[in-house]
Amino acid sequence: DQQVKQNSPSLSVQEGRISILNCDYTNSMFDYFLWYKKYPAEGPTFLISISSIKDKNEDGRFTVFLNKSAKHLSLHIVPSQPGDSAVYFCAASAVSGNTGKLIFGQGTTLQVKP
Amino acid sequence: EAQVTQNPRYLITVTGKKLTVTCSQNMNHEYMSWYRQDPGLGLRQIYYSMNVEVTDKGDVPEGYKVSRKEKRNFPLILESPSPNQTSLYFCASSSGNGYTFGSGTRLTVV
């Protein structure tokens, strides 16, 4: 039972345009959400997070939106750059993030074309 | 430099031969965890630890053991590896808000 789902395995966008990566979750107890970025031959690196008390969090070119009623979150990258090409994972946890149990989605491979 | 170090980076072994993948962190983090990454399945949590001597199962614990005798170390033990444990493994540590990951261990069981 996949509690965190990324239904798009891949996404291709042109440099300078917006990239939108989507994530759905099923467990209403999740209250802290994160996005990670992963390059080949490296471990995932933290990108941005959002608590369930917010519906938006912004950090430079990266913005995460949370729609609790739809159990949906999205990551917007504006403008997209070729260096953003990587696999992006969303992740979710319960109990205000203060837990070791962190559930990941399947990942979406983003390709940004020059 | 703050980091999570896991060894080895690559390992090929035979079915049934016990092995240990080591993991160490230098950030004094309470939480540590092991994940495996498989195509189409993303990152799946094997075990995690909330502190010394406190561990709990993740989503795919079968065939694995862990121990947390010291805060900085969290080894992953495969008592009798099987081919379905061929995967890319990541160790991670956290102070409570998201994990910092190691560089990965690619394990092949033949």
Side-chain angles (χ1 to χ4, degrees), chain A residues 32 35 37 45-50 54 56-65 74-79 81 84 88:
Chain A
Y32 193 70
W35 284 94
K37 177 180 180 180
T45 55
F46 170 75
L47 198 54
I48 193 170
S49 63
I50 188 167
K54 294 185 174 182
K56 176 183 174 181
N57 189 26
E58 192 172 351
D59 183 3
R61 297 186 296 114
F62 302 90
T63 303
V64 56
F65 295 92
S74 60
L75 174 69
H76 292 210
I77 307 173
V78 182
Q81 300 173 353
D84 296 329
Y88 290 78

